[in-house]
Amino acid sequence: DEYAAVLASLLNASPAAIVFVDVEGRVRFANRWIETFLGVDPKPFVGRPYAELAEALSRSLADPRGILQHPADPEACSLDSWSEAVEVARPERRHLVRTVGPVRGPGGRYLGCIEVFIDETGAIERQRLLEERNRELDAFASRLAHDLKTPLVSLKGFADLLARSAGPGLDERHRMFLERIRTSADLLNEMVDGLRELSRASRPAGELHDLDPLPLVKLAAEHLAAEADEAGVRIELPESVPLIRCERAKLFQIVQNLLANAIRYADPSKPDRWARISFESRGDRVVLEVADNGRGIDPEDLPHLFEPFRRGKSAGQTPGMGLGLALTHRLAQACGAGMEVLSRPGDGARFRVSFPAASAAPASPAA
């Protein structure tokens, strides 16, 4: 009895609503958080059939079907545990995660079923606010890019006109000033275009489809063939790939950006330079990997690799705005894909993008 009292105190102190149902289907314990989260005083239901408590709890839910169709039934939960999201409509709106699972004693003897409700309202609200702020920032970036585009086009146009009409009559010093204006205008134009692409990439993908990535991979390699030849980089493509679920245009841009990055940061000191694209099925995901034996990435730069307008130490004098990987990361997120990178200076880099697998995914044959 003393240990039971201690256990009850611990469970009442827990920041989760907890119900224990014995093998006969009767409520043996329900802590105070049941009333806090769901507005139901559990004390009258202790010793009563769980179905009565479930009926009372269901009246607090926005959708009562979950708790009624999948109750904390001792027979059902003796086999497995499960979790589901539930929304509380009253006494106040909350977002809970409900988990139901078996309780076993010494020797694995089945004692009953435990039902736990964890309040995720704060985390969900913070996520909603973060997404809202991100949408506002993307909208601001899009508007800013649009508003800057017109004066930039005018600036570049007048600078070009001045170069054609008055350039031959200028001395070397003033021609240098004029060229700096034109170069700066081009640079600002690239930045504005980058901002616009970045805001577009953050938009959720359209309807996702099961698709064969191989034709898009080959097309990206064809587009970059001349650049690869100039850099002395051999592009290696897979012979077959599993089907994935994605938006076609976004997948093409992801592959092309990662392959272009591998070519751009090739190590000229290595006689054999390569960039390799591969796909691997991992359960309900398909992982795209773009690997190379280029310069690699400094460990200090890895945490900031997907931040826009940030260039790492290994970039050196290589042209770029520091937008390619940030854009690729946002494209992957818009498709429901995760992205990671493994790299060490001098050992190249391996970028991995984990896509949802297609609903039925036989490998595509090599052409």
Side-chain angles (χ1 to χ4, degrees):
D1 289 345
E2 183 179 346
Y3 285 117
V6 171
L7 179 60
S9 296
L10 290 172
L11 292 176
N12 276 316
S14 167
I18 301 172
V19 177
F20 174 65
V21 183
D22 66 16
V23 292
E24 296 178 353
R26 294 183 178 276
V27 177
R28 290 303 176 191
F29 175 83
N31 72 357
R32 63 186 179 87
W33 292 98
I34 292 291
E35 185 170 12
T36 302
F37 289 174
L38 295 135
V40 175
D41 181 3
K43 290 192 289 292
F45 296 94
V46 175
R48 305 290 301 167
Y50 170 79
E52 296 179 9
L53 176 60
E55 179 67 32
L57 295 178
S58 70
R59 299 189 195 105
S60 299
L61 303 181
D63 183 356
R65 291 174 296 178
I67 198 169
L68 294 177
Q69 293 175 1
H70 304 285
D73 178 73
E75 184 177 349
C77 84
S78 66
L79 302 175
D80 200 3
S81 60
W82 68 87
S83 295
E84 64 176 350
V86 294
E87 184 179 348
V88 179
R90 48 193 168 273
E92 61 181 276
R93 189 165 294 277
R94 292 178 184 268
H95 296 276
L96 308 179
V97 174
R98 174 181 180 245
T99 301
V100 179
V103 177
R104 302 191 183 278
R109 184 168 66 92
Y110 179 57
L111 301 179
C113 193
I114 190 169
E115 181 179 40
V116 179
F117 296 89
I118 297 176
D119 190 359
E120 294 286 339
T121 306
I124 291 175
E125 181 62 17
R126 287 191 295 272
Q127 180 65 26
R128 186 191 67 78
L129 290 173
L130 179 61
E131 291 173 355
E132 184 178 324
R133 296 294 181 269
N134 284 338
R135 285 194 296 271
E136 291 173 357
L137 283 172
D138 289 336
F140 172 74
S142 182
R143 287 195 302 270
L144 181 64
H146 179 271
D147 293 343
L148 288 175
K149 193 70 175 177
T150 300
L152 271 175
V153 169
S154 297
L155 175 63
K156 181 65 165 57
F158 282 119
D160 289 342
L161 180 62
L162 184 60
R164 288 194 301 270
S165 60
L170 297 175
D171 59 33
E172 183 177 348
R173 183 166 176 265
H174 288 90
R175 279 199 302 271
M176 180 186 68
F177 291 161
L178 180 58
E179 188 57 33
R180 285 183 179 176
I181 293 173
R182 298 173 70 189
T183 302
S184 297
D186 287 337
L187 185 61
L188 282 172
N189 200 43
E190 286 182 33
M191 293 179 70
V192 168
D193 288 341
L195 272 176
R196 182 178 292 176
E197 286 188 32
L198 204 60
S199 64
R200 287 174 180 169
S202 301
R203 299 170 189 168
E207 186 178 354
L208 302 181
H209 300 280
D210 293 353
L211 59 87
D212 179 1
L214 195 54
L216 296 174
V217 169
K218 290 181 177 179
L219 183 62
E222 289 172 8
H223 280 202
L224 294 167
E227 188 176 336
D229 287 342
E230 185 177 350
V233 174
R234 182 180 73 257
I235 299 176
E236 300 177 4
L237 303 181
E239 294 183 356
S240 65
V241 302
L243 303 184
I244 68 172
R245 193 161 184 79
C246 189
E247 185 183 301
R248 189 175 300 274
K250 281 183 166 53
L251 174 61
F252 174 76
Q253 196 168 0
I254 289 169
V255 174
Q256 182 169 256
N257 286 358
L258 291 178
L259 186 55
N261 191 75
I263 294 168
R264 192 172 298 122
Y265 294 101
D267 188 345
S269 67
K270 295 178 180 177
D272 181 29
R273 298 185 284 278
W274 50 263
R276 180 183 301 124
I277 299 176
S278 62
F279 287 81
E280 181 184 356
S281 293
R282 297 183 184 176
D284 61 351
R285 312 293 291 184
V286 174
V287 179
L288 157 69
E289 180 175 277
V290 180
D292 63 71
N293 66 338
R295 304 176 205 170
I297 303 166
D298 191 284
E300 293 182 6
D301 294 327
L302 287 173
H304 311 288
L305 208 58
F306 302 133
E307 296 176 9
F309 299 108
R310 181 157 186 155
R311 307 195 71 206
K313 297 176 182 177
S314 60
Q317 300 300 313
T318 304
M321 300 297 302
L323 280 173
L325 291 177
L327 176 62
T328 305
H329 186 238
R330 292 201 181 188
L331 288 167
Q333 288 180 320
C335 288
M339 187 169 169
E340 65 175 0
V341 59
L342 304 174
S343 180
R344 291 188 304 179
D347 286 343
R350 297 159 68 186
F351 286 89
R352 293 173 178 168
V353 186
S354 176
F355 293 97
S359 50
S364 61

